[in-house]
Amino acid sequence: MKKFLAAFIAILAICAGLAYGSNQLTKSTGDTGNKVLNLYNWGDYIDPALLTKFQKETGYHVNVETFDSNEAMYTKIKQGGTSYDITVPSDYMVQKMKADHMLIPLDKSKLKGMNNYGSSFMNKSFDPGNKYSIPYFWGTLGIIYNDQSVKPGSLTHWNQLWSKKYRNDIMLIDSSRDILGFSLISMGHSVNTTNSTELVAAKNKLNRLSPNVKAVVADEIKMYMAEGEAPVAVDWSGEASEMMSQNSHLHYVVPTEGSNMWFDDLAIPKTAKHFKAIYAFLNFMNKPENAAQNAEYIGYSTPNMAAYKLLPKNVRDDKQFYPDQQVLDRLQVYSNLSPQKVQEYNDLYLEFKMHH
Amino acid sequence: MKKNFRGLFFTPYVLWLGMFVIAPVALIFYYSFFDIHHNFTLSNYQEFFTSGTYLTMTANSVLYAFLITLFAILISYPMALVISKLKHRNLWILLIILPTWINLLLKAYAFIGLLSHDGLVNELFQFFGLPVQHMLFTDASFILVAAYIQIPFMILPIFNSLTDISDSYIRASRDLGATKWQTLTKVIIPMTMPGIKSGIQIVFIPSLSLFMLSRLIGGNKVITLGTAVEEHFLTTMNWGMGSTIGVVLIISMVIVMLLTNTKRKRRRA
């Protein structure tokens, strides 16, 4: 018992010592008292080198905390007790937080470089006039396929997923709006429909897809696809780019009849305190060279057209992640639904998942 | 004086019970009576017991939990029996318990590595000239992995009740002419019933809501009540409905406890 206690205390002491040492080290390279910015971001969603650069240029130290879903972020900010200065909600969540008075409007007079952003990515329905949000990254929902079992260029429509050819071959991302969404699009309906008849029809159509569905999974889908567990998947472009960097046989396609277009946006939650630092950071991220560096690190599509021009040619010409204008025109952005409709979407989605 | 002393020792227990057992359960009950607009209502219960979706899901969960528990017993009992007869039985039982020190998520990922398309098991199959099998995302793989995870919790109580049996009972049974099989079914198994029952109590209820495994290994083709609870709390933010399912799980736990707790006939020394 005594030995056990001694070992226990020794481990604690070593950990505490190391933690103290590492804190001292980071302090000596950075912390400058009050000059901080609290960034609440998705995990691994900014190039760390940019944070260092930002601190060198402006003297503000960035504390990053991460979340893994819009809803988790929303709940944490709503419950209070936090002091986040900038957060990164997706499109529909910007609308929801705005409606719940959880966002502070942007002071446009303090912002520089807003004209760097492409017109296709501004003034969207979730935030008309970009009063509250600046687009950070954007992307689409689409189909990923493995060219070892699917002929390149042969899969271009949502309806092809229902083909007998793909029996037990398809993996779906576990997200009610996206899965019901592509079923709705394949029937020519809006992804924001509140018409229960259309929703039930979309679910019934999905039920007919279930013999082809191998699994409905979350983040693991990247690992499964990179390892070749299934030849076809429905997922977001951002996830697709990560899979493709691990497996060169994978390709991404946005079906021609249209799809969802999503945004992650920089916004100021009502908990913000360090406004000088906030605008310094937003202007820093608006700069083309910084946005381009970030886009190269993350691998998602940047809405900053000045930054886009700085990207390597093979990235710029990649139609998978920077589709033509005519494809862009067919993309639909999610709008926030009432809690009842969110429940209805999720209940139908659960019924689809239970259908064998 | 003595009384005060006892009260002092009693305080932490009461505080613990209040803060971490009674309060959370009371909160779950409280939330289950509210809909998404924070109105007091019984509609959550009404919805649960009239919706085909939730009832099928409950039936599914019970069926899977039953199968997981059954397989866990079928594997654990012979194992515990053999180990209890070994010389260094405490060492062997420790080895069985060892995997519980590893995080559940890591074990799930290890199984993905084993069962996947290019995994170890399929490589073995190919080595023997067998065709590649799709094992992930099937009911069988889900039950296998879940049973594997629950086995240590089943073995321990059975093992303990086996080692509690005095050798004289076994000898008496053999002396009176019972065969080995009769000794097992008429003496050993009845005497280890309390162990089996506590094993069932520990394994059955968590198996009703294994949402992590049902997604990672079952590919969401296995939908349990846990999946629905996760969705209500994280996606739709319908805490009322999520709590209602929680209440149903708590009540089913009480039922299982009552069923497996038929008055213990204590052996008097």
Side-chain angles (χ1 to χ4, degrees):
Chain A
M1 194 60 199
K2 247 184 188 168
K3 262 187 197 163
F4 179 75
L5 206 66
F8 188 73
I9 291 171
I11 290 172
L12 269 185
I14 290 169
C15 288
L18 285 174
Y20 179 75
S22 114
N23 266 345
Q24 284 303 100
L25 279 176
T26 39
K27 238 184 202 160
S28 57
T29 57
D31 204 25
T32 35
N34 244 344
K35 295 197 79 178
V36 291
L37 175 79
N38 298 319
L39 172 65
Y40 196 32
N41 197 358
W42 299 81
D44 198 22
Y45 207 29
I46 189 164
D47 182 356
L50 279 175
L51 297 179
T52 322
K53 188 180 167 194
F54 174 68
Q55 181 167 7
K56 253 188 209 142
E57 274 182 21
T58 62
Y60 293 110
H61 178 76
V62 183
N63 299 318
V64 183
E65 270 192 58
T66 60
F67 55 86
D68 55 12
S69 79
N70 277 303
E71 284 70 22
M73 181 266 294
Y74 172 90
T75 311
K76 196 154 177 197
I77 290 182
K78 180 151 202 180
Q79 281 174 346
T82 58
S83 57
Y84 302 123
D85 295 314
I86 292 179
T87 184
V88 192
S90 303
D91 35 54
Y92 73 97
M93 189 48 77
V94 171
Q95 198 180 357
K96 185 178 168 76
M97 292 176 82
K98 198 170 68 176
D100 294 349
H101 307 290
M102 287 165 66
L103 294 181
I104 297 173
L106 298 166
D107 184 350
K108 294 280 171 69
S109 66
K110 290 182 185 155
L111 284 171
K112 278 177 240 136
M114 290 302 286
N115 47 3
N116 289 342
Y117 291 94
S119 56
S120 311
F121 313 114
M122 299 295 276
N123 198 21
K124 287 293 185 187
S125 56
F126 61 86
D127 184 20
N130 286 75
K131 288 200 181 84
Y132 294 86
S133 67
I134 304 176
Y136 182 58
F137 281 113
W138 68 278
T140 50
L141 178 77
I143 302 172
I144 298 113
Y145 63 87
N146 191 319
D147 63 20
Q148 285 168 313
S149 14
V150 178
K151 208 175 115 226
S154 68
L155 190 51
T156 52
H157 301 289
W158 290 117
N159 274 326
Q160 285 177 293
L161 293 177
W162 274 263
S163 153
K164 281 213 173 74
K165 223 169 33 179
Y166 302 117
R167 191 145 287 239
N168 202 25
D169 271 355
I170 303 173
M171 280 200 190
L172 302 177
I173 186 76
D174 191 4
S175 157
S176 53
R177 279 202 84 172
D178 292 302
I179 301 308
L180 276 165
F182 82 72
S183 183
L184 284 166
I185 290 172
S186 77
M187 302 168 85
H189 300 312
S190 155
V191 292
N192 294 314
T193 188
T194 51
N195 179 331
S196 300
T197 331
E198 287 179 6
L199 281 170
V200 170
K203 188 216 70 174
N204 288 337
K205 187 168 179 183
L206 279 178
N207 281 350
R208 291 198 295 279
L209 182 68
S210 57
N212 287 3
V213 177
K214 191 183 178 79
V216 184
V217 280
D219 279 341
E220 317 81 65
I221 197 169
K222 286 181 278 192
M223 171 187 75
Y224 285 132
M225 287 305 288
E227 282 174 2
E229 188 69 33
V232 182
V234 175
D235 200 355
W236 306 296
S237 56
E239 304 243 300
S241 84
E242 278 179 53
M243 295 173 201
M244 289 157 65
S245 67
Q246 290 171 44
N247 185 340
S248 57
H249 288 293
L250 296 176
H251 305 271
Y252 179 73
V253 57
V254 181
T256 50
E257 53 275 8
S259 184
N260 160 245
M261 179 191 222
W262 53 262
F263 285 92
D264 289 331
D265 312 81
L266 298 174
I268 310 173
K270 63 168 186 203
T271 54
K273 288 196 184 75
H274 310 95
F275 286 93
K276 270 200 173 137
I278 290 171
Y279 285 99
F281 184 78
L282 294 177
N283 288 329
F284 177 83
M285 292 312 292
N286 282 351
K287 278 190 190 157
E289 64 269 25
N290 296 334
Q293 183 183 336
N294 205 24
E296 271 198 79
Y297 176 84
I298 306 290
Y300 286 21
S301 317
T302 178
N304 188 323
M305 292 321 280
Y308 169 75
K309 293 199 184 86
L310 299 176
L311 290 171
K313 192 170 179 339
N314 62 330
V315 178
R316 266 181 297 154
D317 292 345
D318 193 341
K319 293 278 176 281
Q320 302 174 102
F321 299 109
Y322 292 100
D324 294 328
Q325 190 61 42
Q326 55 178 20
V327 178
L328 284 182
D329 291 340
R330 284 201 208 103
L331 299 175
Q332 308 175 37
V333 180
Y334 291 140
S335 51
N336 187 38
L337 298 166
S338 70
Q340 289 95 316
K341 281 294 156 188
V342 171
Q343 190 67 55
E344 191 177 333
Y345 269 77
N346 277 281
D347 286 348
L348 289 170
Y349 178 62
L350 203 59
E351 282 176 37
F352 152 66
K353 283 205 278 188
M354 288 177 61
H355 185 88
H356 279 275
Chain B
M1 182 69 184
K2 217 178 181 183
K3 236 181 190 170
N4 278 342
F5 216 59
R6 198 203 267 165
L8 208 65
F9 279 114
F10 219 57
T11 321
Y13 174 72
V14 171
L15 276 178
W16 175 273
L17 206 67
M19 285 197 298
F20 300 114
V21 181
I22 295 171
V25 172
L27 267 179
I28 289 178
F29 269 93
Y30 176 76
Y31 273 117
S32 73
F33 292 112
F34 287 90
D35 64 10
I36 25 178
H37 305 292
H38 308 289
N39 298 323
F40 186 84
T41 169
L42 280 170
S43 65
N44 290 330
Y45 288 95
Q46 196 190 345
E47 197 189 328
F48 188 95
F49 289 106
T50 52
S51 119
T53 318
Y54 286 118
L55 293 179
T56 332
M57 206 186 304
T58 312
N60 264 345
S61 306
V62 172
L63 177 69
Y64 281 113
F66 171 76
L67 287 174
I68 292 165
T69 315
L70 182 72
F71 281 109
I73 296 177
L74 287 180
I75 298 169
S76 301
Y77 203 93
M79 240 153 80
L81 203 60
V82 170
I83 291 172
S84 69
K85 297 278 175 288
L86 291 175
K87 201 175 165 198
H88 302 290
R89 59 187 185 191
N90 284 327
L91 174 72
W92 295 113
I93 202 78
L94 183 76
L95 290 181
I96 302 279
I97 307 302
L98 217 60
T100 57
W101 299 355
I102 300 168
N103 185 288
L104 174 69
L105 206 55
L106 287 179
K107 284 188 278 193
Y109 271 88
F111 267 100
I112 293 173
L114 286 174
L115 300 174
S116 68
H117 189 74
D118 303 318
L120 210 61
V121 176
N122 266 328
E123 270 179 29
L124 212 67
F125 278 2
Q126 279 174 310
F127 181 76
F128 290 109
L130 293 160
V132 170
Q133 300 291 319
H134 289 283
M135 282 170 294
L136 271 181
F137 316 127
T138 57
D139 290 357
S141 64
F142 172 70
I143 292 170
L144 168 86
V145 176
Y148 160 80
I149 281 165
Q150 304 287 22
I151 278 172
F153 302 107
M154 184 62 89
I155 280 198
L156 255 192
I158 295 178
F159 174 80
N160 285 336
S161 60
L162 276 169
T163 49
D164 275 352
I165 300 178
S166 161
D167 264 350
S168 50
Y169 285 99
I170 316 288
R171 260 180 273 130
S173 153
R174 301 302 305 278
D175 277 352
L176 294 168
T179 61
K180 269 193 171 169
W181 179 249
Q182 281 170 325
T183 311
L184 179 71
T185 54
K186 303 277 185 207
V187 180
I188 299 180
I189 291 183
M191 287 184 79
T192 51
M193 236 17 197
I196 297 175
K197 281 177 177 171
S198 38
I200 291 175
Q201 287 175 356
I202 303 169
V203 168
F204 185 80
I205 292 295
S207 302
L208 280 176
S209 50
L210 290 164
F211 72 92
M212 209 57 196
L213 283 185
S214 64
R215 196 185 80 201
L216 281 170
I217 306 289
N220 268 332
K221 300 210 119 186
V222 177
I223 299 286
T224 62
L225 288 173
T227 317
V229 173
E230 188 203 12
E231 191 182 281
H232 283 306
F233 277 93
L234 295 182
T235 318
T236 60
M237 296 193 207
N238 186 352
W239 290 17
M241 197 64 216
S243 301
T244 305
I245 302 173
V247 169
V248 172
L249 283 171
I250 291 172
I251 291 173
S252 36
M253 176 164 76
V254 172
I255 294 174
V256 171
M257 288 287 206
L258 289 178
L259 284 179
T260 50
N261 237 358
T262 43
K263 273 177 211 152
R264 262 193 210 161
K265 287 166 209 142
R266 279 244 155 249
R267 277 178 290 135
R268 298 220 170 258

